[in-house]
Amino acid sequence: MKTIIPTNIRYIKLGAGGRWETAAFDEGHLEWGLPTDPHDLALAGDWSAMKEVYTALYPARGTATGYTNEARAFYDGDPDTLWITFARGRMWWAQAAPEVHLRGGEGADAGIRSVATYDADEKERRRQKVGFFMGDARIKATTLHSFKGWEAPLLVIHVGQAKGKDSLALIYTGLTRLKQSSAGSRLTVVSSSAELLDYAMTWRNFVHWRATDAEFATALNRPDAGGQRTGP
């Protein structure tokens, strides 16, 4: 029998209601975290920034510190840590490889993580905006008003209507949020505004989508589809 001398012994829960049991027992994975956890900050070991995110999301005293400590224990990757858990009427133990990988969703959503500021509850929206920062690699969905002052190399903008100077000024602000990148920049605009049709037709690769879902899906599958301006 092999003798194990661990540097640490830590308990890990296999998800709410044991929802990670299958991954643990059938695939040999240990999982931790939620979609709102800043995976990139944890990989970078930026625990101060991670604590700031948690403090914004969970203002109760001590909660942010607790979550940051949990993340640090999981991501620090000591291969000599002994992980224990209780499931299926028994205690289980394992040692894990030091590397941590992002585990995405299922099917078409695999590997896609996003954050938005559209919660129906105003208090929750405020929390979401605080945790909505540029160092986070998740796809971000928000309003043009909330995106003022920000820039990104990849943008998708939806224009519902363009009536009046204020509306046009806001759309212009959105269009100028594209950031030049050595890896390339891309701006895609999805517009349902009849007022902008003539202008939209001046864009390279313009596609005029009409009513039926089948036609829309066909257009999306075309290699040249989309109203786009491509940077260097």
Side-chain angles (χ1 to χ4, degrees):
M1 179 180 293
K2 181 180 178 180
T3 301
I4 297 175
I5 305 177
T7 55
N8 293 289
I9 299 177
R10 299 187 181 278
Y11 168 77
I12 187 166
K13 185 178 180 179
L14 301 182
R19 63 189 180 95
W20 294 336
E21 282 188 15
T22 299
F25 293 112
D26 296 350
E27 303 174 28
H29 295 157
L30 291 180
E31 297 195 18
W32 177 89
L34 298 171
T36 52
D37 291 303
H39 175 75
D40 299 295
L41 293 180
L43 282 181
D46 194 343
W47 308 117
S48 296
M50 198 164 188
K51 186 176 179 181
E52 289 179 7
V53 173
Y54 283 139
T55 300
L57 293 172
Y58 312 105
R61 184 177 181 181
T63 302
T65 299
Y67 282 156
T68 303
N69 290 340
E70 283 185 23
R72 189 166 189 169
F74 189 81
Y75 280 84
D76 267 352
D78 184 351
D80 293 321
T81 293
L82 186 70
W83 297 91
I84 65 170
T85 193
F86 297 91
R88 303 177 182 178
R90 297 182 180 183
M91 185 186 83
W92 304 80
W93 62 268
Q95 287 181 304
E99 298 84 9
V100 178
H101 304 278
L102 176 62
R103 187 174 177 88
E106 299 178 356
D109 294 329
I112 298 175
R113 303 177 78 229
S114 63
V115 59
T117 61
Y118 295 122
D119 197 275
D121 182 74
E122 183 179 355
K123 184 177 180 181
E124 182 60 27
R125 284 200 305 273
R126 288 199 300 268
R127 291 184 184 179
Q128 289 173 335
K129 288 181 179 180
V130 173
F132 197 85
F133 58 98
M134 292 305 295
D136 186 357
R138 292 176 292 181
I139 294 174
K140 302 169 181 65
T142 190
T143 64
L144 288 176
H145 286 288
S146 294
F147 206 75
K148 284 183 178 180
W150 283 31
E151 292 181 325
L154 299 172
L155 287 176
V156 178
I157 297 176
H158 172 249
V159 178
Q161 62 178 8
K163 296 181 178 180
K165 292 182 179 180
D166 290 343
S167 180
L168 292 172
L170 183 61
I171 294 168
Y172 174 79
T173 299
L175 297 179
T176 60
R177 295 304 88 200
L178 188 67
K179 181 179 181 180
Q180 187 174 11
S181 169
S182 59
S185 305
R186 175 160 296 190
L187 170 64
T188 299
V189 178
V190 180
S191 174
S192 53
S193 170
E195 297 85 358
L196 294 179
L197 180 57
D198 289 340
Y199 169 65
M201 292 177 68
T202 67
W203 281 43
R204 182 166 60 89
N205 296 334
F206 167 77
V207 174
H208 191 181
W209 290 316
R210 289 193 178 275
T212 70
D213 290 339
E215 289 174 343
F216 184 75
T218 300
L220 284 178
N221 288 327
R222 286 177 46 189
D224 63 340
Q228 302 169 345
R229 283 182 175 170
T230 305

